[in-house]
Amino acid sequence: MSRSEVKTRLERLELPFNAYGVDPYGVSRWHLGVVYEALNFFYRHYFRVRCHGIEHVPARGRGMLVGNHSGGVAVDGMMVIASCFLEAQTPRLAQGMAEKFVNATPLASIWSSRCGQFPGLPENATRLLEEDRLLLVFPEGARGTAKLYPQRYDLVDFGTGFMRLALKTRTPIIPFGFLGGGAAIPTVANLYGLGRVLGMPYVPVTPYLLPLPLPVPLELHYSEPMVFEGTGNEEDSVIQGYVEQVKARIADIIDRRRNERWQAAVTP
Amino acid sequence: MKVLILGLGGAVARRVALGLRDQGHTVVGIDTRPWADAPEGIEVHTVDLRKRGAEDVFRTRRPDAVVHMATVTSLRVQGEERHRINLGGTRVVFEHCRAYGVKHALFVGRHTFYGAAPDSALYHTEDEPPKELASFPELADLVAADLYASTALWRTPELTTSVLRVCYTLGPSAQGTLATFLRGRRVPLVAGYDPLFQFMHEDDVASAILLALDKRPRGVFNVAGPQPLPLSVIVRQAERVPVPLPMAVLRQLVGRFGLPRLPRGALYHLQYPIVVDGHAFRAATGFTHRYDEVQTIQSFLEAHPAPPSHRAQLRQGLETLGVMKP
């Protein structure tokens, strides 16, 4: 995809930009253009992302993308954001719920907020969904990116906040499985002490020390939307049951695709 | 209706007074600042709100509604004096309202009440508590005045109380926190941060107050106009020179080299946004803003173009003296 195609898609992005190219949340058309051009390179050429089921991402209206975390840094989040913009029939801005330290970090604060990536607060998430935006949620949180290489395909406990939010705002959940993040950033250790000093949850360490991603192919599989009925005030056991259904769907995507890859590798 | 405006010397208060007069209401105003050329139909009392003279105005003029805009936001007035004006003054206003049968009290507060923090929600609603006062103690008296006014809702239920938390104002008068900040040629920013700033035209603020006097909504309301903009965009559109500096450097330089004087807590407001949700006020009064963000900045710029650079000033001086040819 050329630079002009990124520009064309940017013009088709259905966001209420004002005369200065800024929307009511401070999302900036100019900043998005710069970031999407960079993401386009990484998505198409560096990671060669294979995306399946993008048709499950709604062309407009509210939606919550829920998936597994992998890799020491948020490469998965960036590739999901790129896929919703580059692959979807109608380009969409997926708005992530970032860790709070991002907003407190110079430069990251500007670029994350200008690109619609806000601190993961229920107030922010509710407002965005009620304005029919597309929300990106990793219910594993920072524990998800902290997975070491051997656990790269495992799922740690999911938080339940996303499910209460989806019920409260009547939002369909689009589960997705992300494969390859653990190989792109093969984390062998996490430095929690250094992270605290730097104001981050932890600092991942790779065999080559720096947490820079390797150019390995990544896979992204979106599944059919899941719609749950309720008010968001249900008992914990009910919510946990719904969360387990979403987790099982994601685990199923990952297992199925790993199996297919293994079959393809052994079949002559 | 007879309306008493406290703090009549401000740009917005004067607009409210003129608006009320034009609607046929009786307007009485109090301020320590005289309004020399006050127009016909506006009765001005140059007295201190906390003194006997102000109570006399309440007793003799018996207003139906009171608009309290006599709080000091300027950070040049600090310490005990600010507390006396903002807290003591607000207390006196509500005591007089109760004593002299006022039906509607309208307190005009600020949206900065909510505080700026990296983990704050982007849009604040009325039910949120004040945050980050520890980092900006200079705001404490304004927050206390706002909360005191809010308690009138249950302390004196016979008095209809409206507390408005109004975002920054901008316009031809160049009064107010944001306008003062933008007045110079160079505007300091914190390098690596660019918070959203929410502002509205001073005519729109006056319209919102007039509407609140008409509809008398009971409760606390955020008042907002057009959508917020990143501070850097406002600075550029106001044709000022943005000067992004690391926080450690900025702390040392504010108030020098042509940069505005700011307390430490205010620097936090240059890092993180304070943006309010004005839905409740719009629903209660039907308020809509007339000026969008482009027109509002333009109105400020037309009235206050950026001061020329030192080089241009020097050149102009030399030309005036005949040392250089124009």
Side-chain angles (χ1 to χ4, degrees), chain B residues 16-318:
Chain B
V16 173
L18 291 169
L20 284 168
R21 186 203 59 176
D22 294 346
Q23 287 173 7
H25 300 293
T26 305
V27 185
V28 184
I30 289 179
D31 203 305
T32 49
R33 299 165 288 185
W35 189 357
D37 52 347
E40 192 80 11
I42 297 174
E43 185 183 317
V44 184
H45 296 267
T46 313
V47 289
D48 189 323
L49 180 60
R50 296 160 293 162
K51 299 287 167 62
R52 182 78 196 174
E55 188 175 356
D56 286 346
V57 176
F58 273 87
R59 193 179 60 247
T60 57
R61 307 298 286 128
R62 296 278 173 170
D64 300 300
V66 169
V67 183
H68 179 17
M69 301 178 77
T71 49
V72 177
T73 51
S74 170
L75 295 162
R76 273 176 291 184
V77 183
Q78 285 194 355
E80 284 296 310
E81 181 59 8
R82 256 182 74 122
H83 277 70
R84 269 197 288 272
I85 297 169
N86 289 342
L87 265 176
T90 302
R91 183 183 168 194
V92 163
V93 169
F94 281 93
E95 279 175 1
H96 291 346
C97 284
R98 188 165 53 181
Y100 299 107
V102 175
K103 294 183 190 71
H104 183 206
L106 198 154
F107 176 85
V108 181
R110 278 84 192 164
H111 79 312
T112 40
F113 172 87
Y114 296 106
D119 56 350
S120 279
L122 187 54
Y123 277 84
H124 297 282
T125 51
E126 287 84 354
D127 53 1
E128 283 181 42
K131 275 184 90 173
E132 298 300 326
L133 276 181
S135 65
F136 198 168
E138 293 86 350
L139 268 186
D141 55 338
L142 282 170
V143 173
D146 180 298
L147 292 175
Y148 184 83
S150 306
T151 60
L153 284 160
W154 54 265
R155 269 189 302 108
T156 49
E158 71 279 9
L159 172 72
T160 301
T161 302
S162 313
V163 175
L164 306 187
R165 292 178 186 154
V166 185
C167 64
Y168 292 126
T169 59
L170 205 59
S173 76
Q175 285 188 16
T177 310
L178 179 59
T180 310
F181 182 62
L182 292 173
R183 210 176 279 160
R185 182 176 158 73
R186 295 189 185 85
V187 180
L189 307 178
V190 181
Y193 297 89
D194 191 12
L196 287 183
F197 264 54
Q198 197 173 27
F199 56 92
M200 57 197 290
H201 194 284
E202 48 203 29
D203 284 347
D204 279 335
V205 180
S207 303
I209 292 169
L210 289 171
L211 211 50
L213 282 168
D214 183 33
K215 304 284 182 186
R216 295 191 181 187
R218 182 187 286 271
V220 181
F221 299 95
N222 295 329
V223 181
Q227 71 164 66
L229 284 178
L231 180 56
S232 64
V233 174
I234 300 171
V235 172
R236 277 199 305 274
Q237 296 306 318
E239 296 183 3
R240 267 56 180 179
V241 181
V243 185
L245 296 166
M247 184 56 118
V249 178
L250 190 57
R251 277 201 192 109
Q252 306 302 321
L253 293 187
V254 284
R256 300 173 192 175
F257 307 109
L259 298 178
R261 188 186 301 274
L262 295 168
R264 287 195 167 197
L267 295 179
Y268 220 43
H269 291 193
L270 301 181
Q271 283 183 286
Y272 307 112
I274 308 171
V275 178
V276 293
D277 179 340
H279 275 95
F281 184 69
R282 284 200 289 274
T285 62
F287 171 71
T288 48
H289 59 274
R290 265 195 310 145
Y291 296 88
D292 65 16
E293 59 277 24
V294 180
Q295 293 164 324
T296 306
I297 297 177
Q298 198 58 37
S299 71
F300 168 78
L301 178 61
E302 281 166 9
H304 297 273
S309 66
H310 289 305
R311 182 180 293 180
Q313 283 177 13
L314 183 65
R315 188 182 177 85
Q316 201 177 1
L318 292 172

